[in-house]
Amino acid sequence: MSIARGTVEANFDGLVGPTHNYAGLAMGNVASAKNAEQPSDPRGAVLQGLAKMKALADLGMAQGVLPPQERPHIPSLKRLGFSGRDADVLRKAHSEAPALLAAMASASSMWTANAATVSPSMDCADGRVHFTPANLATHLHRAIEPETTARALRAIFTDDKRFVHHEALPATPQMGDEGAANHTRLCSDYGAPGLELFVYGAAGDDSPRPQKYPARQTLAASEAVARLHQLDPSRRYFAQQKPEVIDQGVFHNDVIAVGNREVLLYHEQAFTDKKAIQDWVRRCLRGSSVSAREPVLLEIKDSEVPVEDAVHSYLFNSQLICPPDGSMWIVAAHECEERPRVWAAIQRLVEDPANPIAGVKVFDLRQSMRNGGGPACLRLRVVLAEAERAAVNPKIWMNDALYTRLTAWANKYYRDRLVLADLADPTLLDESRGALDELTQILGLGSLYDFQR
Ligand code: SUG
């Protein structure tokens, strides 16, 4: 099937890196805590991600690939005082501070919903696409991602007449920014100006905060991103996520809500003031043309799917996608099929003629899910007008040839079993660098990584 013409919403999925492991690093992410220290299967993980990308490309979606990062990250370990040759650095870190080694070896950059916030050119005053890499300030293993993320985005979206790359916000508790996972764009058509909804966990004032787990996104950070992207103040909104659900494991908004085109699907407990959001969407989404789609607000009640089921199945971390024929589909994780209430809710949505969702496509993403990363965590959405799409580095688009090449590449370099002790193995570092070196050639990314510079 050929890709649609005109403006499209492209998905850029993160390739899982060769060190994918379960280290229990993420506070407030119940899957990460539950699976800590289990053996992982990096090869299985990268192949699961590639299968999803290939399936979406086969539907005619514009599907891109974002590279993993270099891990274990020796420069970060050196910055923390581990010295010597690479093998010495790994050995010392493993014996003196294994938790630091695990943080510097995480493959967490696969969850590209946290790579950046992106606003399409139709929403920005200067008519360019704006990118702000997320600082991921709340977790050490993620706070080392933005520098390479910024490089990768610049290597893919190179044309500075069309693309603007901002710096990540300062990495302080007041400015915690986790990117697109807390940002939703609604529109009547991808090519029309949209509404941008920013969801934060904490404001600087004395409004309620979660008690148990960190609020990763702050209001100040969301406001800064909206300013940088030159969004029209009447077409962006800042909403607070309910602190109670953060304490139940909803560490990003995309664990409890998802939007696409004119549809916002959310759990009853997602926001502190859902009425205000509903009013804003209903008031502002109406397009000017007669053919404009009306907003569709789909609320799932707690009595239908309790928050706990939502967190374990990642129902709201499904992707809502529109292939070129304009139909809308739910892309869900297998775990949704395994929870009867969740599966029944999906069936109800698909059968209800009052919404445009035509069907569901289910994927096995278990390797990522065990670290709390579902279908939507693995992708960064970038709405691109036709000329913008033509300006993207062409080698990153998923198609039959790239799928075949990356599958062979993964089978060549990736292990099918990894435990935490392996992170200190210098051979794993060599294998990873070999894989990434070849990948930068496959994707035409130049010298992206520190070890190549
Ligand atoms: O930041 N997990 C990631 C999952 C990110 C999911 N992203 C979105 N919801 N958009 C996180 O919590 C676990 C790593 C470990 O424990 O080994 C981790 O970082």
Side-chain angles (χ1 to χ4, degrees):
M1 196 183 279
S2 63
I3 288 177
R5 305 196 73 75
T7 301
V8 295
E9 182 172 84
N11 286 291
F12 289 82
D13 279 45
L15 268 181
V16 179
T19 62
H20 161 63
N21 70 86
Y22 301 119
L25 299 173
M27 267 277 282
N29 169 340
V30 290
S32 155
K34 180 167 161 236
N35 295 302
E37 297 181 28
Q38 295 291 318
S40 63
D41 171 6
R43 189 193 301 160
V46 70
L47 294 176
Q48 287 173 355
L50 281 168
K52 172 166 89 80
M53 293 186 231
K54 173 68 162 59
L56 266 63
D58 285 348
L59 287 170
M61 304 282 300
Q63 175 69 57
V65 180
L66 289 178
Q69 300 203 1
E70 171 190 349
R71 298 289 182 270
H73 194 237
I74 298 292
S76 291
L77 287 165
K78 287 191 168 162
R79 194 171 157 194
L80 299 177
F82 301 104
S83 59
R85 292 188 312 203
D86 292 348
D88 301 324
V89 169
L90 292 171
R91 183 179 43 75
K92 288 181 199 165
H94 181 56
S95 70
E96 290 170 35
L100 289 182
L101 175 61
M104 300 313 169
S106 175
S108 54
S109 67
M110 73 175 88
W111 299 298
T112 53
N114 307 119
T117 306
V118 186
S119 297
S121 56
M122 312 85 207
D123 297 359
C124 304
D126 66 355
R128 296 190 287 172
V129 185
H130 285 244
F131 298 83
T132 300
N135 63 25
L136 296 162
T138 51
H139 287 79
L140 178 61
H141 70 292
R142 305 223 59 184
I144 60 170
E145 293 175 32
E147 198 179 319
T148 305
T149 299
R151 276 186 216 156
L153 292 173
R154 285 172 194 272
I156 293 171
F157 303 95
T158 47
D159 181 351
D160 60 12
K161 287 194 286 302
R162 301 181 192 279
F163 305 118
V164 185
H165 297 277
H166 301 284
E167 266 180 71
L169 303 177
T172 70
Q174 304 95 300
M175 281 291 161
D177 177 21
E178 306 256 330
N182 298 312
H183 172 254
T184 306
R185 177 176 192 259
L186 300 171
C187 57
S188 60
D189 221 337
Y190 293 128
L195 298 184
E196 299 200 15
L197 172 64
F198 293 80
V199 182
Y200 61 90
D205 57 17
D206 48 10
S207 58
R209 305 178 141 259
Q211 299 300 306
K212 215 163 122 194
Y213 295 139
R216 298 198 196 184
Q217 183 80 32
T218 68
L219 171 60
S222 297
E223 288 173 338
V225 172
R227 262 193 305 273
L228 286 165
H229 292 196
Q230 307 180 10
L231 303 180
D232 177 342
S234 69
R235 302 189 66 83
R236 47 110 180 104
Y237 193 85
F238 304 104
Q240 187 178 7
Q241 192 173 358
K242 266 205 174 164
E244 296 88 329
V245 297
I246 296 181
D247 283 339
Q248 287 171 269
V250 181
F251 56 97
H252 289 137
N253 177 249
D254 69 3
V255 179
I256 199 140
V258 55
N260 174 48
R261 216 176 53 193
E262 77 281 22
V263 175
L264 182 63
L265 171 66
Y266 58 97
H267 190 275
E268 173 179 24
Q269 298 292 331
F271 309 110
T272 51
D273 189 355
K274 69 177 180 200
K275 172 83 171 49
I277 299 174
Q278 292 163 344
D279 290 348
W280 173 70
V281 172
R282 291 201 181 103
R283 194 175 64 245
C284 299
L285 190 59
R286 303 243 144 78
S288 44
S289 73
V290 229
S291 61
R293 296 182 180 89
E294 294 292 309
V296 178
L297 299 168
L298 301 174
E299 178 168 311
I300 305 279
K301 300 278 182 206
D302 206 57
S303 54
E304 183 175 19
V305 177
V307 172
E308 198 202 336
D309 277 311
V311 168
H312 285 95
S313 64
Y314 265 39
L315 164 61
F316 296 92
N317 202 262
S318 297
Q319 291 173 249
L320 287 175
I321 60 162
C322 293
D325 66 4
S327 61
M328 197 179 295
W329 295 78
I330 299 191
V331 172
H334 249 311
E335 284 75 356
C336 289
E337 270 183 328
E338 290 163 356
R339 296 225 158 208
R341 281 191 283 209
V342 172
W343 193 239
I346 290 180
Q347 296 309 319
R348 181 181 67 70
L349 288 170
V350 166
E351 279 155 26
D352 184 353
N355 76 62
I357 301 170
V360 55
K361 305 203 180 279
V362 176
F363 288 88
D364 179 359
L365 296 166
R366 280 183 215 282
Q367 285 291 319
S368 169
M369 283 288 285
R370 285 187 194 136
N371 251 338
C377 299
L378 287 162
R379 63 96 171 93
L380 179 68
R381 290 185 285 187
V382 184
V383 171
L384 294 166
E386 205 162 316
E388 291 158 357
R389 180 153 38 117
V392 171
N393 168 352
K395 292 191 168 175
I396 54 77
W397 294 118
M398 182 54 67
N399 52 36
D400 291 347
L402 185 60
Y403 178 74
T404 305
R405 189 134 188 230
L406 289 178
T407 304
W409 166 83
N411 283 319
K412 174 174 165 195
Y413 288 106
Y414 281 55
R415 299 186 182 185
D416 61 6
R417 188 175 194 277
L418 209 62
V419 293
L420 293 183
D422 297 328
L423 301 176
D425 176 2
T427 327
L428 178 69
L429 180 66
D430 289 343
E431 288 163 18
S432 304
R433 287 179 174 168
L436 298 186
D437 206 31
E438 190 174 327
L439 183 70
T440 50
Q441 291 164 38
I442 298 175
L443 299 178
L445 299 174
S447 296
L448 179 66
Y449 299 109
D450 292 319
F451 75 87
Q452 296 174 311
R453 292 181 157 215

